[in-house]
Amino acid sequence: MNSAGLLLRQAVAEGKPLQMVGAINAYSAILSEKVGFKAIYLSGSGVAAASYGLPDLGITTMNDVVEDIRRITRVTKLPLLVDADTGFGSSGFNIIKTVQEFERAGAGGLHIEDQVSAKRCGHRPGKKLVSLEEMVDRIKACVSGRQDKNFVIMARTDAIANEGIEKAIIRSRAYIEAGADMLFPEALTELSQYQRFTNEFPNIPILANITEFGKTPLFTTDELHSVGVSIVLYPLSAFRAQSEATVNVYKTILTEKTQKSVLPIMQTREDLYSYLDYYKYENQVDQLFGKQDNDKKDQ
């Protein structure tokens, strides 16, 4: 049986580029698989906002993320890439534990970034970076911690915004030499910047974070493929749509005293049952307990 890490690597190799969507919970993971995606992503921001009602400022813990990993990997065969923020601890031992817990929970890989522990969203101002040497140590800890050699270690650099692309390239080269398998250059603003990374690192898969309302334009997969990008990430697209729909439904019920006008934007009960294989479970209940219940009635 192929490991989650190997499945993730295969999905990246076959993607050209691989479209990867964010799944903030188990049901979203089910939907993404049945729609046809080949890999999914768990965002640290998604865990903070959706599971804990907190901003993405390094407040949630490793255990918070691991719980969501378990819930997602229990219901889908898709390989999962997970946001590990800065590793959830200042020491190499903390980072090793993060890798091992993520792997044990069923993730196929993680990305770790070069911001300080009191991190910010990658598309916000005021980001601060650790030294190149400290980030190299983070990568080395990740590599030493994994049990499966195919578990993906992806290095994210936020250096473009602070130090410019030349220093971001220097950092990225050091991260690869330390053992990073893939690269995640954050908050790029031009296709030519992605081209620079793929030219510099032709054998390393490069991820483009196409998140809405940020610094990166909403480049198409064709545009990104043309400059050699291997993974196109949509980390919170569905979550943003779900959240806006939720607000609209709540407002409608409050003001109109009924939900009738928003029924067209709702998933039907039948569709919900279909995606969850509800009737399969119901039939199992009938087979396991239905006969016993009937026998008791006969008595």
Side-chain angles (χ1 to χ4, degrees):
M1 182 177 177
N2 290 336
S3 69
L6 182 58
L7 290 174
L8 180 55
R9 289 173 185 268
Q10 290 174 342
V12 171
E14 296 168 3
K16 302 187 186 306
L18 174 68
Q19 289 183 294
M20 182 181 289
V21 289
I24 60 162
N25 53 33
Y27 187 56
S28 296
I30 290 171
L31 295 178
S32 59
E33 181 174 5
K34 293 200 173 182
V35 165
F37 286 95
K38 303 301 182 185
I40 53 177
Y41 175 74
L42 181 59
S43 159
S45 177
V47 172
S51 294
Y52 295 93
L54 293 169
D56 183 26
L57 290 169
I59 303 171
T60 46
T61 68
M62 178 198 69
N63 288 332
D64 295 334
V65 179
V66 167
E67 181 59 36
D68 279 352
I69 295 172
R70 290 195 189 105
R71 290 171 177 171
I72 288 170
T73 57
R74 183 183 63 82
V75 299
T76 180
K77 296 178 181 177
L78 295 181
L80 176 68
L81 175 67
V82 181
D83 182 356
D85 288 343
T86 62
F88 300 107
S90 58
S91 79
F93 293 114
N94 296 129
I95 294 171
I96 288 170
K97 182 178 180 181
T98 294
V99 172
Q100 292 176 348
E101 291 298 323
F102 278 24
E103 189 176 339
R104 190 175 293 117
L110 60 76
H111 66 75
I112 187 168
E113 63 200 60
D114 53 11
Q115 286 196 55
V116 298
S117 295
K119 56 156 289 178
R120 294 173 181 262
C121 168
H123 293 256
R124 294 289 299 156
K127 296 187 293 185
K128 296 180 180 180
L129 307 181
V130 298
S131 68
L132 182 152
E133 292 77 15
E134 183 171 343
M135 180 59 178
V136 164
D137 286 343
R138 288 178 180 177
I139 297 295
K140 288 180 178 179
C142 286
V143 173
S144 68
R146 64 183 169 190
Q147 306 298 298
D148 173 16
K149 66 179 181 180
N150 288 308
F151 184 84
V152 172
I153 307 299
M154 179 182 288
R156 168 177 148 175
T157 181
D158 285 76
I160 290 90
N162 289 37
E163 301 177 348
I165 194 166
E166 297 301 330
K167 288 191 176 180
I169 293 291
I170 292 171
R171 279 179 172 267
S172 296
R173 182 171 292 108
Y175 302 164
I176 292 167
E177 290 173 356
D181 305 301
M182 303 182 189
L183 282 177
F184 178 166
E186 177 65 302
L188 273 60
T189 58
E190 301 174 9
L191 281 173
S192 60
Q193 293 175 322
Y194 287 109
Q195 184 74 75
R196 178 71 190 281
F197 273 91
T198 58
N199 286 345
E200 291 283 347
F201 310 109
N203 299 316
I204 299 295
I206 306 295
L207 179 147
N209 183 19
I210 308 302
T211 187
E212 302 82 16
F213 315 113
K215 293 183 178 296
T216 304
L218 302 184
F219 298 121
T220 67
T221 53
D222 287 342
E223 290 172 322
L224 292 163
H225 179 60
S226 73
V227 293
V229 167
S230 298
I231 308 166
V232 185
L233 176 64
Y234 311 89
L236 292 169
S237 304
F239 174 61
R240 289 193 173 98
Q242 293 162 15
S243 299
E244 184 66 13
T246 298
V247 170
N248 289 336
V249 169
Y250 288 165
K251 286 181 176 179
T252 298
I253 292 172
L254 188 65
T255 58
E256 299 180 10
K257 314 304 180 187
T258 176
Q259 71 272 51
K260 290 180 181 178
S261 69
V262 288
L263 284 177
I265 69 169
M266 292 186 187
Q267 185 179 68
T268 66
R269 182 186 299 272
E270 193 58 40
D271 283 345
L272 173 68
Y273 286 179
S274 176
Y275 284 116
L276 290 176
D277 290 328
Y278 176 89
Y279 295 115
K280 180 186 75 173
Y281 287 93
E282 193 176 69
N283 288 335
Q284 288 177 339
V285 170
D286 290 341
Q287 290 171 11
L288 289 170
F289 305 111
K291 186 176 186 303
Q292 293 178 11
D293 292 342
N294 290 331
D295 289 343
K296 289 180 182 178
K297 290 178 183 178
D298 293 339
Q299 294 174 357

